[in-house]
Amino acid sequence: MRNLPIFAAAILSTMLPGAVSAQTDAAAPAAPDEDAQVTMDRAGVIFGMFSQAVRSEDIAAEEKNALVGCMYENSLKTISAETGRILGVNPELDATKPGVIYAVAATVCGARQNGKAAAAEQSAPATPTPESR
């Protein structure tokens, strides 16, 4: 009677591997299609670039906050898909360069302004601050 738990454990251990492997084979997901793979790869680049930007001292605190907020409110898949859509519409942008991907993703997230708006803002004269009396 003392050996009954050991005997039961031995029997269960021989039965479980077959049951687990049968479940694993049936539940294996299909390989992603090419577009999904590109989106996942781009999402990895975006996550890496955003994490580097947040640690960088060269990036303004407002941009860092916008990047973190964007990642909190949106999935990387969503950010990557929208970035890919913009890269697809603008063939002059090199979609293989991480810096370009970061710039577009940061623009998608609202952390940066697009190139036209940024150029207009830089060329606009600064608003004078009122003098106190």
Side-chain angles (χ1 to χ4, degrees):
M1 199 57 136
R2 289 187 308 181
N3 293 334
L4 185 59
I6 296 172
F7 180 70
I11 290 176
L12 284 175
S13 68
T14 59
M15 297 170 97
L16 287 179
V20 172
S21 68
Q23 289 176 348
T24 305
D25 293 341
D33 63 343
E34 187 176 338
D35 289 337
Q37 185 64 45
V38 169
T39 301
M40 287 189 319
D41 293 344
R42 189 182 317 107
V45 171
I46 291 169
F47 181 76
M49 295 300 288
F50 278 18
S51 65
Q52 286 179 359
V54 170
R55 289 188 308 257
S56 175
E57 294 180 8
D58 297 334
I59 304 294
E62 294 82 22
E63 185 172 341
K64 291 178 184 182
N65 291 338
L67 294 175
V68 171
C70 182
M71 286 180 44
Y72 181 76
E73 294 175 0
N74 303 291
S75 68
L76 281 171
K77 180 180 179 182
T78 303
I79 298 168
S80 178
E82 184 62 20
T83 301
R85 186 188 67 77
I86 291 173
L87 289 170
V89 172
N90 298 303
E92 67 274 2
L93 298 175
D94 187 1
T96 61
K97 293 185 177 180
V100 172
I101 294 172
Y102 170 78
V104 172
T107 303
V108 164
C109 285
R112 288 190 172 182
Q113 296 179 351
N114 64 17
K116 294 176 187 173
E121 182 179 294
Q122 288 176 355
S123 64
T127 307
T129 57
E131 296 179 23
S132 61
R133 295 181 187 192

